[in-house]
Amino acid sequence: MLSTIIALFAGLISGVLLYVTKTASTPTTVFLAVLTTVVVQVIISLTIRKKTRRINDEIQNIMLEGQNKINRQMQNFQRKPQSGVKAMQTLMEKEQAKFIRKAIEVLAKYQPFYKWNFLLKKQISTMKMMFYFQLRDFKKADELMKDSLFVDSRALAFKLVRMYKNGEDYETVLKKKLKKFKATNAVILYAFYSWVLVKEKRIDDAISILIEAFQRTGEDVFSVNHQMLVNGKEKKFSNAKLGDVWYALYLEEPQMAKQGKMRQKMNKRGF
């Protein structure tokens, strides 16, 4: 916003000076004034973009380093298990929380640039909302959703989950937004929708949605789940094959934890 005002002011000043000094003809004066406005706008935008990119790179590095650390811990656990699967999962969640909170702190560096871009504040609110959702701080996530943008399917999925959990009309919002997302971007939304329909015992609706989901995305998990429901095997319905993308919604227990429970049962039986 401020960048536009400054650019317009610069263009106006240049136009007035050219007109008063009669340095150029009227058409040329208008052209140069507009050109000045555009050039100033571009210079400011590039400068702001360069500075905000550094902040973005800092956040990405934090997330990458944190994820790499978790991956190393996971690999070490798989090679030499020193504790139960549940304990390992808890440890990884704590490690994830550390680097997410660190990333949230870095987001504060964007604040001085809000006045230069009226959409930036909403973009940062969206990032914060997604981070707090990952931390399971749903109260804070709900508060930030009021000022968030939902042009990303993952952000929208987080909002829909909270609407569902809070007993709000998630379905109207989902049907309205779903058409805007295509191919892989629609996968998480269809996964959420079909899962909820099964939980609500709306099996026929779930079957129809799974057919639509497979046709629009080509994702095999929808075809498999469709077959499960058609054959009356509701308990085998699962989006676990989508991995972390699905588990991030906190609707279904991670497969690792399920395997851990199975392993514990086998140990008790002497296997």
Side-chain angles (χ1 to χ4, degrees), residues 10-20 29-30 32-33 36:
L12 178 63
I13 293 298
S14 65
V16 170
L17 289 175
L18 288 171
Y19 178 78
V20 171
T29 297
V30 173
L32 292 175
T36 300

Side-chain angles (χ1 to χ4, degrees), residues 77-266:
F77 174 78
Q78 290 174 340
R79 286 196 298 267
K80 297 179 180 180
Q82 297 179 353
S83 60
V85 176
K86 193 65 177 178
M88 183 60 193
Q89 183 182 351
T90 301
L91 176 62
M92 289 192 295
E93 287 178 353
K94 288 182 178 180
E95 287 295 334
Q96 183 186 51
K98 287 180 183 179
F99 66 76
I100 288 178
R101 292 191 183 282
K102 189 175 180 181
I104 291 175
E105 291 177 2
V106 176
L107 285 176
K109 294 182 180 182
Y110 279 107
Q111 193 167 350
F113 302 104
Y114 289 168
K115 58 188 176 183
W116 298 97
N117 186 335
F118 71 96
L119 280 178
L120 184 59
K121 186 175 182 179
K122 285 187 173 293
Q123 292 171 344
I124 301 308
S125 291
T126 305
M127 292 176 67
K128 283 184 179 179
M129 179 274 291
M130 296 177 73
F131 281 147
Y132 278 112
F133 188 101
Q134 289 179 280
L135 292 172
R136 299 179 191 256
D137 188 344
F138 300 122
K139 183 178 179 181
K140 186 66 176 179
D142 289 347
E143 292 175 358
L144 288 165
M145 283 183 188
K146 300 173 184 178
D147 297 316
S148 298
L149 297 172
F150 297 98
V151 295
D152 176 79
S153 60
R154 189 160 169 258
L156 178 58
F158 285 175
K159 177 181 180 179
L160 292 169
V161 169
R162 295 305 301 148
M163 292 182 72
Y164 168 69
K165 292 290 186 179
N166 292 329
E168 300 175 23
D169 184 11
Y170 74 89
E171 198 165 10
T172 299
V173 175
L174 177 55
K175 287 181 177 179
K176 182 179 179 181
K177 297 284 188 179
L178 193 54
K179 298 177 182 178
K180 298 180 181 180
F181 296 94
K182 300 179 180 180
T184 56
N185 290 324
V187 169
I188 191 61
L189 301 179
Y190 276 116
F192 162 77
Y193 196 13
S194 58
W195 184 90
V196 173
L197 290 174
V198 171
K199 288 296 178 181
E200 294 179 345
K201 303 300 180 181
R202 296 164 57 185
I203 305 304
D204 290 340
D205 291 338
I207 290 173
S208 297
I209 286 298
L210 287 168
I211 293 173
E212 179 183 320
F214 182 70
Q215 290 175 341
R216 290 196 62 200
T217 68
E219 180 60 53
D220 289 338
V221 70
F222 298 130
S223 178
V224 173
N225 280 335
H226 173 264
Q227 290 300 313
M228 293 297 105
L229 297 185
V230 168
N231 293 315
K233 300 179 181 179
E234 297 174 26
K235 292 183 178 180
K236 290 190 176 182
F237 176 97
S238 175
N239 290 317
K241 290 184 178 180
L242 296 178
D244 292 340
V245 175
W246 169 247
Y247 294 137
L249 299 185
Y250 301 127
L251 292 173
E252 190 171 10
E253 191 176 8
Q255 193 70 30
M256 183 179 69
K258 291 181 180 179
Q259 291 174 349
K261 291 179 180 178
M262 188 177 294
R263 184 180 300 172
Q264 289 173 5
K265 290 180 180 179
M266 293 176 67

